[in-house]
Amino acid sequence: MITKVLFGTPFMTEAVMQPVKQVETLRYFTAEKKEDQLCFVCPLEPDEVVYGLGETTGAMNKRGGRYISFNTDTADHSDDNPSLYASHNLLVLEKRGFCIFFDTPARAVFEIDYRKSGQIRVTCSEHVAVYQVEAATAYEAVREFLAVVGPAYLPPRWAFGYGQSRYGYECEKDFRQVMECHQNAGIPLDYICMDIDYMDGYRDFTVDTEKFPNLKKFAAELLDRGIRLVPIVDAGIKVDPGERVYEEGVKNGCFCTNVEGGLFRGGVWPGMTHFPDFLDPKARRWFGLQYRFYTDQGIEGFWNDMNEPALFYTEYTKGPKRMEQILNFIFPRLRRNARDRAAIRDYRYIFHQVDGKRICHYDVHNIYGGNMIRATSEGLSELLDHRYLVFGRSSYIGAGRYGGVWTGDNTSCWEHILLNMRHMASLNMCGFLYCGADTGGFMGNCTRELLLRWLAVSAFTPLMRNHSSKGTRAQEAYRFGDPEAFRSILMLRYRLLPYIYSEYMKAALRSDLYIKPLAFEYPEDQRVKNMEDQLLVGQSIMIAPIVTKGATQRTVYLPEDMTMVRYDGQNFSCTPCSKGEHTVEVPLSHAVFFIRSGKLLPVGKAVTNSRDVTVDDLQLLGDGDTYELYWDDGMTRDCTLNNIRLLKK
Ligand code: GLC
């Protein structure tokens, strides 16, 4: 059962779409006023697992950590960084079948078994709507929560293909080379992302015509070979008198204002920019319809970036002072803190217009990014008559209805494969079904081994994109010699596409999760409570990948009898395995995963592009009897459960 308790006059974030019964009392939590904040406290038993908080660092079990909901542009994804790009204020108390969502767009602090042992402490604005769900199990509670948040975003089928990206691709030649190198090596590919260098002076809704003399023709040439272009669109619009988008935004009052009532200016990639007021429906629509610039050229996929919004400097704070700069250079952690502090100060100088009232950005900061995704998605749904790809960096619960998310600037290191897995499960609980990390890592230098192991994980995540930064070692799948192993892992993805697509669509249409922790299906099994390197993907599969450098085998725990599946690049071989521990050998070119007891897994033919995936001749693995296959043309908006057909063994 889901209920809500209102404190003060909560801001309407529109996170929850369905009506929820209002009650007076909280379950498990007590609330106490501390000046203009509320402090919610709940005692925890020693062995209780607390899931949730979507995109936060550290383990999936959030115990022992302090997390701050305050969307931040940060490349530090280490365990002790309290804030990443998004704020997802949901806690799931696994043992009690209980989840609680603190719906406030303002800063919130979650201390879970941190300030005081055995206690959850949430400190946030005194104006907050608290949603609570009580159910028989945590899995049921989360599903009930997702049902009121609203249906998850439905991407087109090609968005489940493999994407290649790099901050550094500049011109037609670079993109053609990426396409050709993949295709010549027989490595599957569906899209290539265009980072900011495609633009004219980093201005959104422009293209550098020296680098792309005829983008429409170029996009068509690539699409002819099955490859789509997916440009980046950043939040800020360059302050640029005379330029159409800028002038229109100013004229229509679509930008955020400053303390004095003029337009707020913040420095990002293009230099000084104005930030569209994504909290204002009029500005959202104006921004969304700008995408016509791309759709007119046949482009139908986008990533939204810098939408926390990221601020490099402003005229108010102008970044750190000289002495601070020197110290920051010596101590990188200070640098991060200084930049964050400057941005936080600046957020107090930005203003929105909401229902005719002027609202300080600082108080609604966490819903800005999600509303950019919404603007993009709503614009595209007006411009196109079929599905489109949208994913963004910063988000809040509810934005998962409009698009997906990627987890930002991670690093080419082993811990971040595990972080990727944790994020996928936690993000799913918060309604972000379409998600993924920069496979191979954004910062730092990737290695062949790291990329292969990482691909073997992201082969199961809805968004599967290899992305890296300028100045790092190139990490396209064809860069490391001997492409055979890469072909094998990526081919697995494409052979699983009927399943991945089908499971995703069913989960989205049924308010279910696509990826979940084992404890959601095996709540009685104490051994899986803290298991974070094994996950359930859809209804049939459990993954247990290798996430350690140098390892060629690992221990896998099966909570029930399962079928072990090994893919060697050519064939699937199946071995029945009994409940319990197993040591599994996984050479770099193989992928091993498990089919749950009584389930079937459909696998398709080996193809190198999503348009060639068919479901006429699926092979059915596993010991189940039937499989519910969701299948449509991959583009239609008419996505209903009527598109399910039953496959029988
Ligand atoms: C940000 C994004 C990254 C992108 C870069 C340049 O750091 O997170 O993905 O490549 O900006 O646009």
Side-chain angles (χ1 to χ4, degrees):
M1 192 187 47
I2 180 158
T3 53
K4 70 177 171 196
V5 184
L6 303 184
F7 295 87
T9 321
F11 186 91
M12 299 298 285
T13 64
E14 297 183 71
V16 170
M17 292 304 280
Q18 298 302 322
V20 170
K21 185 172 164 228
Q22 190 178 336
V23 295
E24 295 304 316
T25 46
L26 286 173
R27 184 88 166 106
Y28 302 124
F29 282 75
T30 53
E32 196 189 321
K33 190 121 189 313
K34 287 261 158 79
E35 292 163 18
D36 61 348
Q37 298 268 290
L38 275 173
C39 187
F40 296 90
V41 170
C42 166
L44 278 175
E45 284 173 35
D47 62 341
E48 267 198 282
V49 172
V50 181
Y51 291 124
L53 293 182
E55 193 182 284
T56 40
T57 58
M60 220 151 79
N61 182 355
K62 304 319 286 183
R63 283 188 82 140
R66 179 169 183 266
Y67 313 89
I68 303 181
S69 284
F70 200 79
N71 299 351
T72 305
D73 167 23
T74 174
D76 175 3
H77 296 193
S78 62
D79 285 9
D80 59 348
N81 182 3
S83 310
L84 292 177
Y85 309 87
S87 293
H88 305 135
N89 301 343
L90 177 80
L91 296 177
V92 183
L93 276 58
E94 196 273 329
K95 201 167 156 183
R96 303 182 210 194
F98 179 74
C99 66
I100 184 162
F101 169 46
F102 297 87
D103 189 10
T104 162
R107 186 176 184 273
V109 181
F110 294 81
E111 292 162 309
I112 302 171
D113 208 3
Y114 181 84
R115 188 192 286 229
K116 193 166 167 216
S117 278
Q119 186 189 73
I120 299 181
R121 192 186 168 94
V122 181
T123 313
C124 66
S125 159
E126 59 185 327
H127 303 289
V128 58
V130 182
Y131 293 83
Q132 46 187 1
V133 194
E134 290 178 75
T137 62
Y139 184 23
E140 274 175 38
V142 169
R143 274 184 296 172
E144 211 176 311
F145 176 67
L146 294 183
V148 297
V149 166
Y153 155 74
L154 299 172
R157 188 154 59 238
W158 64 265
F160 293 87
Y162 178 55
Q164 178 58 49
S165 182
R166 180 163 170 92
Y167 176 25
Y169 297 158
E170 292 261 345
C171 55
E172 283 190 1
K173 189 170 132 276
D174 297 341
F175 288 84
R176 227 178 247 121
Q177 188 194 357
V178 170
M179 172 179 70
E180 272 160 12
C181 288
H182 279 88
Q183 294 186 341
N184 293 343
I187 299 173
L189 187 69
D190 258 84
Y191 60 94
I192 310 176
C193 290
M194 304 173 87
D195 209 317
I196 49 174
D197 292 308
Y198 80 84
M199 298 180 193
D200 174 12
Y202 302 145
R203 291 170 186 86
D204 285 346
F205 314 113
T206 68
V207 64
D208 183 329
T209 48
E210 281 192 9
K211 297 175 185 165
F212 299 90
N214 188 337
L215 182 60
K216 187 172 182 173
K217 197 160 149 246
F218 184 58
E221 173 197 323
L222 262 54
L223 189 57
D224 205 39
R225 294 176 63 179
I227 307 300
R228 291 170 199 264
L229 290 171
V230 176
I232 195 169
V233 175
D234 286 348
I237 298 291
K238 186 176 171 69
V239 176
D240 192 10
E243 201 268 335
R244 184 191 60 83
V245 182
Y246 166 81
E247 293 289 353
E248 252 185 53
V250 174
K251 195 173 102 224
N252 299 333
C254 291
F255 295 128
C256 293
T257 50
N258 61 18
V259 183
E260 296 83 30
L263 297 184
F264 179 85
R265 292 151 60 96
V268 204
W269 297 120
M272 277 302 184
T273 66
H274 290 327
F275 293 119
D277 189 350
F278 292 120
L279 272 55
D280 174 3
K282 176 188 72 185
R284 272 205 300 271
R285 181 150 190 275
W286 167 75
F287 189 86
L289 292 180
Q290 297 305 319
Y291 283 82
R292 183 187 294 281
F293 172 78
Y294 306 102
T295 54
D296 278 353
Q297 324 213 32
I299 293 177
E300 301 174 347
F302 303 91
W303 46 312
N304 285 162
D305 193 20
M306 313 307 272
N307 54 338
E308 292 70 32
L311 272 177
F312 295 167
Y313 53 90
T314 71
E315 43 209 357
Y316 294 99
T317 44
K318 296 208 172 64
K321 303 262 172 319
R322 186 81 191 126
M323 194 52 209
E324 220 177 331
Q325 278 173 357
I326 296 169
L327 283 170
N328 291 345
F329 185 73
I330 307 172
F331 304 107
R333 180 54 58 87
L334 272 181
R335 182 164 64 225
R336 186 194 90 205
N337 291 341
R339 199 165 117 182
D340 291 357
R341 272 203 312 275
I344 290 170
R345 277 199 301 267
D346 288 330
Y347 292 139
R348 295 195 187 274
Y349 303 117
I350 309 179
F351 288 83
H352 299 274
Q353 199 67 24
V354 179
D355 295 333
K357 275 202 240 92
R358 221 164 117 76
I359 306 267
C360 178
H361 175 82
Y362 186 84
D363 299 325
V364 290
H365 173 66
N366 292 337
I367 57 170
Y368 184 78
N371 275 299
M372 179 186 186
I373 301 177
R374 177 176 178 180
T376 302
S377 191
E378 288 179 339
L380 289 168
S381 58
E382 268 194 64
L383 294 166
L384 300 168
D385 57 9
H386 50 261
R387 274 134 62 190
Y388 43 79
L389 169 62
V390 180
F391 60 95
R393 196 170 69 171
S394 180
S395 66
Y396 184 78
I397 287 184
R401 293 190 298 268
Y402 303 103
V405 288
W406 100 99
T407 53
D409 300 348
N410 61 4
T411 298
S412 302
C413 66
W414 290 89
E415 297 79 66
H416 285 184
I417 305 187
L418 194 54
L419 183 64
N420 185 180
M421 293 180 68
R422 291 164 163 163
H423 274 156
M424 296 305 101
S426 306
L427 280 165
N428 265 251
M429 293 177 208
C430 298
F432 295 89
L433 262 53
Y434 189 79
C435 50
D438 285 351
T439 300
F442 179 75
M443 316 283 285
N445 299 317
C446 193
T447 63
R448 180 172 194 273
E449 184 192 3
L450 183 75
L451 184 58
L452 278 166
R453 293 302 193 200
W454 205 321
L455 286 167
V457 171
S458 53
F460 295 90
T461 66
L463 167 67
M464 185 189 192
R465 181 181 76 141
N466 178 335
H467 181 50
S468 57
S469 180
K470 272 184 183 169
T472 64
R473 182 181 183 189
Q475 63 185 45
E476 292 85 0
Y478 52 80
R479 294 276 185 183
F480 298 92
D482 179 19
E484 195 63 39
F486 291 93
R487 219 167 20 233
S488 162
I489 305 296
L490 278 154
M491 211 53 107
L492 170 72
R493 166 72 171 203
Y494 280 71
R495 296 197 71 176
L496 290 178
L497 263 187
Y499 173 77
I500 291 171
Y501 181 67
S502 165
E503 290 300 304
Y504 182 96
M505 298 298 281
K506 285 188 294 181
L509 294 170
R510 290 173 169 159
S511 304
D512 205 339
L513 292 92
Y514 166 80
I515 292 188
K516 53 187 178 283
L518 270 61
F520 276 23
E521 288 284 3
Y522 309 98
E524 305 302 329
D525 190 333
Q526 295 307 312
R527 288 208 45 185
V528 305
K529 291 238 174 289
N530 276 298
M531 199 157 268
E532 307 208 348
D533 61 351
Q534 298 184 200
L535 289 173
L536 297 167
V537 178
Q539 294 295 324
S540 302
I541 294 181
M542 181 186 81
I543 59 167
I546 289 204
V547 294
T548 319
K549 181 175 161 58
T552 53
Q553 60 176 47
R554 64 160 286 176
T555 306
V556 179
Y557 172 70
L558 307 188
E560 60 176 341
D561 294 351
M562 290 191 183
T563 305
M564 180 171 84
V565 183
R566 177 178 298 278
Y567 185 64
D568 62 6
Q570 301 290 329
N571 299 304
F572 291 96
S573 53
C574 294
T575 319
C577 296
S578 51
K579 177 177 159 104
E581 260 184 28
H582 296 263
T583 301
V584 179
E585 284 282 338
V586 192
L588 273 178
S589 59
H590 285 198
V592 171
F593 58 93
F594 300 83
I595 305 177
R596 294 172 58 196
S597 165
K599 306 281 184 190
L600 283 181
L601 169 72
V603 296
K605 299 231 172 57
V607 295
T608 53
N609 192 274
S610 68
R611 64 182 175 181
D612 300 323
V613 176
T614 57
V615 293
D616 306 332
D617 203 6
L618 295 172
Q619 198 183 333
L620 294 171
L621 311 179
D623 63 11
D625 299 322
T626 56
Y627 177 77
E628 278 189 324
L629 180 79
Y630 176 97
W631 202 250
D632 58 17
D633 66 6
M635 277 302 214
T636 177
R637 284 189 179 166
D638 183 20
C639 304
T640 66
L641 294 170
N642 292 336
N643 292 330
I644 292 181
R645 61 182 101 153
L646 208 58
L647 306 181
K648 293 205 177 97
K649 203 160 188 188

